[in-house]
Structure formats: structure tokens, C-alpha cells
Amino acid sequence: MSARSAWRAVRALARHDWRELWASRAALLFFVAMGPLVGHAFITAVRAYAEVSGSAGGAAALSQGISPLDGIVVPTFGAYALAAALLFPFVAIRLVAAEKESGALRLAVQAPVGVGVQLAVKGVVLAAAWVVSWLPACLALALWAWYGGHLAMPEVMTVLAGHLLRGMLVIGVGAMAAAVTDGAASAAVVALAVTLGAWALDFAAQVNGGVLVAIARFTPDAALRPFERGELRGDVCVVALVVSCGLLALAAAWLHPGRALPRRVARSAVVLVVTALAATTGQRWRGSTDTSEDRRNSFAPADQRALAAIGAPLHVTVHLAPEDPRLADLERGVLRKLQRSMRHVDIEYAASTSTGLFERPRGTYGEIWYALGDKRAMQRSSIERVVLETIYALAGVPTPSAEAGEAGEAGEAGEAGETYPGYPLRATPVGAAWLFYLVWPTLVIALWWWRRTR
């Protein structure tokens, strides 16, 4: 078959799957539900944002701490985290399992393109449907801009990228569940088991720490968090794409009705090994971009340059329990930024308990050791400037501010002195309830009915 004929067949498959998707009741319920879900999240977020901005007559929070990313964008798109866990898997399962249950799959395998290509086309169609489901959230952000709210597009696009990767993971899980089981009901159980398992792993990592933290940072919820704080992480993107493709390949190995069980198992083993190797390689990629407007994921530019010039690897040993709030402050304010700024940063979590309440009182609990080459230093502080000065002392380099002052680099000092202004807004969610609770569901139902009867 020529490439032109294959392309025509792929386009015909895409049109067929798109029509099947929009004709299904699962898709109808999913799109109808997204309106109220997003509407409730958006209305709640706008009211909370107005309260923080001083709408109740009380003192407003410091404007530098009021960010539309945290107050509006992330809560509004939080509805999609719920949909990805409990609604969208069933849409993916229905598109894959319907052909198995009706017997159409036995005819489909005789098509000019193979089962793997057909499954890839379904994945693309489902990804397109996932993107279309963002329309209510985009309408909510348009309303926010109409109210006079501020939006930083790099932050918004980063959050969208995170939800796109999450949707691709859900599509992979749904296709795999539909392929390895006999019906949609069994596939739904498998998909829910995977979701609950990911939640359990995430919870165990937060409580117990250790090696679970390294594994759990690629669960769907944990993988989304860097994007929600405005950080575009290369390792998360690569691992999510690799795992999504691996799940689709695993589904292709099991979907062919004429393939014997030993052959399916052998193909699955190959897919799992290749996926594991690719994911292990991808998670070593340290590239990342800070798209947040307040530069919350980065040190000051002068510190960034000074840390990037340090070639020796930095080893950090943290004697703080996973539930100790000081560890959260240290990770948010220092460790994540160090991993972005330096080429080699290795972090070891050495606490032996989950809370730190029952550590030995005269032990090493609370200590944070920094080792650079053959030099070591201990600090108990999680304050950014204290940690940076410790690292500069170990590296034998002056602090950037002192260096700039001696050299008279006024430009660098001004660059480091830029502050985030914050965007307080006392807005009322005018028209949001009508739009998301009435207009959106009515419009979706009318469109679904029109497509079924045309």
C-alpha cells in the first residue's frame, strides 16, 4: 500500500472515530458535566480571590502574594483533575471497547492499516476531545479578563501543557484497560484501580518519603504540580509521553483478536522493558523553564549565574521528616531552585520517621548537610539567602551581590531587585452561573442531538 493510500485510510479512520466519539452517551455526559464542574470551581475561585483582595472590608493581603495563577487559573483547571480521574477514562474505554463488544474489531483488523495505527488514531481523536473539553475553562478565563483580571499567558500555557500530558496518560490507561479486559465494565474497574493505586502511591510518598518520592513524582497528580506552579519540566514531559505511548503499545499488543496469549505476553514484555528503559533515561533530563511571572521557581538572576558556574556536584543530606513543614519550605524555597540552577545536585532524605516527633532529641534531626567536593557544611535554616551563602562559601566564590557592588555592576543589582507587583481584584462572578450551569449543558445537548439526527 502506498503512503498516499495509507494516509487516506488514516484520515477515514479519524473521521469515523470522531463521529463515534461524539455519538456516544459517555462523551455527552462528560462534556455536559464539564460545564458545572468548571463553573463551580471558577465561581468559588473568583469569590475567594475577591476576599483575599479585601472585598469584605477587612485588610487585604500583601499584593505581592496575590497571583492569578494560584487564585484563578489553577483552581479553575482543577476541575479537569477530577474529570481526568473519574470521567474521561470512561470516554476512552468506550471508544476502544465498543468495537470489541460489537464484533467490529474482527472486521477492522482486515483494514489496510494495522491495529497499532488504528489505536494511535483513536489516541489522537481522544486527545483532541480532551482539548475541546477545555472550552468551559477558556470561557472562564475570558470572563476573568472581562472582569478586569490579569492573566500571564506563559503561565496559562504551562498549566494547559500539564493537563494535556495528564489527559494523554488517562487515554493510555483507558485504552490499555479496554484492550486487556473482555468488556467496558471490567475495563472501568481496571482504570479505577490504576487511579486509586496512583493516589495511594502519592499519599505513601508524602507520608513515608524515601525512594517512594522518586517514584511518585511521575504519578498523574504529582506530575501536574510543577506545571501548576509555572515550571515546565523536561523530565516530566518526557516520562509522561513515554508512559502514554507505552500504554498504547501495550493495548495494541492485546487488542488484536487473532493473536495467541503467549504472543501477547511476549509483546507486552518487550513493550514494558522498552518503556522502562526510555522512562529511566528521560527522568534524568534536568532541563526546565520557569514561566511564572513572579519567578517563584528561580533564584535572582545574579545567583542563577553564580550557581551555574559552579562545576562541582552538590550533595545535600536532609534530616527532616516528610511531614515536617520545614521540609516543605526547604523544597519550595531552595532545593527545587538549586536543581534548576546547578548542573549536578543530589538530594538525600535521611530522616527515619514520617513526622519527626519521635526522632532522638540529641541526634541529627533538623540538620541539613551540604557537600561540595571535599568540603562539608551544616545548616538548620531553610532561608534562601543563608543556604546560598553556605554554598558560595563551600565553592570559594564571593556572593553575587558583593561581587556586583565591588565591580559597580549597577545593572545586575537592578535586575535582581525587580519585584512582583501582584494583582488584587475585588470581582464578582457576574454571569458565570448562567453560562456554566444552564447555557453550556443546553448547548452541548443540542449539539449532540443535532449530530445524531442529521
Side-chain angles (χ1 to χ4, degrees):
M1 186 175 58
S2 65
R4 191 171 181 179
S5 300
W7 175 242
R8 286 178 179 173
V10 168
R11 290 178 58 188
L13 282 172
R15 286 195 296 269
H16 172 266
D17 288 336
W18 187 255
R19 287 194 297 269
E20 286 290 317
L21 177 70
W22 281 97
S24 68
R25 288 183 173 81
L28 169 67
L29 295 175
F30 169 67
F31 282 104
V32 167
M34 288 317 302
L37 282 175
V38 171
H40 175 72
F42 175 68
I43 292 170
T44 305
V46 170
R47 287 172 177 166
Y49 198 93
E51 289 182 12
V52 173
S53 301
S55 64
L62 289 175
S63 62
Q64 290 86 349
I66 302 178
S67 164
L69 173 64
D70 299 322
I72 298 297
V73 178
V74 171
T76 299
F77 276 91
Y80 291 89
L82 182 65
L86 302 176
L87 296 177
F88 193 58
F90 304 109
V91 179
I93 288 171
R94 194 271 174 193
L95 188 62
V96 177
E99 292 184 350
K100 288 182 66 177
E101 294 178 339
S102 66
L105 182 61
R106 295 186 178 278
L107 297 175
V109 296
Q110 302 175 27
V113 294
V115 173
V117 176
Q118 295 181 36
L119 204 54
V121 171
K122 292 182 189 301
V124 172
V125 168
L126 287 166
W130 178 244
V131 173
V132 171
S133 74
W134 295 348
L135 278 175
C138 293
L139 289 173
L141 297 186
L143 277 179
W144 174 249
W146 180 57
Y147 298 156
H150 172 80
L151 288 174
M153 289 313 296
E155 293 178 343
V156 175
M157 297 307 295
T158 302
V159 173
L160 289 178
H163 282 282
L164 178 61
L165 291 174
R166 178 163 188 161
M168 294 176 66
L169 284 172
V170 171
I171 291 169
V173 170
M176 182 272 295
V180 301
T181 57
D182 295 331
S186 301
V189 173
V190 172
L192 283 177
V194 172
T195 300
L196 293 175
W199 287 348
L201 178 61
D202 204 16
F203 178 75
Q206 292 180 13
V207 173
N208 299 319
V211 69
L212 291 178
V213 175
I215 300 174
R217 65 194 178 104
F218 296 110
T219 61
D221 285 341
L224 186 60
R225 288 179 197 130
F227 298 90
E228 290 183 336
R229 58 175 183 263
E231 183 181 4
L232 194 60
R233 290 264 298 272
D235 57 343
V236 175
C237 293
V238 171
V239 172
L241 288 173
V242 166
V243 173
S244 301
C245 294
L247 289 169
L248 285 177
L250 195 62
W254 284 81
L255 196 60
H256 199 295
R259 191 169 290 157
L261 180 61
R263 197 174 171 188
R264 293 179 177 179
V265 173
R267 282 176 175 258
S268 301
V270 172
V271 169
L272 290 175
V273 170
V274 172
T275 302
L277 290 176
T280 304
T281 304
Q283 63 91 24
R284 296 177 181 172
W285 186 19
R286 297 300 181 191
S288 70
T289 302
D290 185 4
T291 62
S292 61
E293 190 175 1
D294 56 1
R295 304 289 297 168
R296 67 183 65 180
N297 305 301
S298 306
F299 293 119
D303 289 314
Q304 291 274 121
R305 290 191 290 271
L307 292 169
I310 299 175
L314 174 68
H315 183 82
V316 184
T317 304
V318 184
H319 295 271
L320 289 172
E323 295 187 17
D324 194 321
R326 290 176 293 176
L327 178 60
D329 292 340
L330 182 70
E331 289 182 328
R332 181 176 55 251
V334 177
L335 297 183
R336 291 171 187 160
K337 298 178 182 178
L338 281 176
Q339 288 179 315
R340 292 195 64 251
S341 305
M342 299 183 69
R343 281 172 286 182
H344 306 287
V345 178
D346 180 29
I347 302 172
E348 178 185 358
Y349 296 93
S352 57
T353 62
S354 61
T355 64
L357 296 176
F358 304 102
E359 294 272 353
R360 289 187 301 169
R362 294 185 180 180
T364 58
Y365 188 77
E367 296 179 353
I368 306 164
W369 285 88
Y370 300 90
L372 195 66
D374 58 350
K375 298 180 180 178
R376 298 179 75 230
M378 189 276 287
Q379 282 288 347
R380 291 180 181 273
S381 174
S382 60
I383 299 174
E384 175 184 313
R385 181 48 53 188
V386 174
V387 174
L388 289 181
E389 289 180 354
T390 302
I391 295 173
Y392 292 144
L394 290 173
V397 299
T399 60
S401 57
E403 185 182 28
E406 293 172 1
E409 298 178 4
E412 185 177 273
E415 188 181 11
E418 294 177 358
T419 57
Y420 179 68
Y423 299 95
L425 179 67
R426 303 172 187 178
T428 304
V430 178
W434 284 97
L435 177 62
F436 295 112
Y437 296 154
L438 180 62
V439 175
W440 174 264
T442 305
L443 190 64
V444 171
I445 292 173
L447 181 62
W448 180 83
W449 184 260
W450 174 73
R451 289 190 62 86
R452 280 183 65 94
T453 57
R454 58 182 291 194

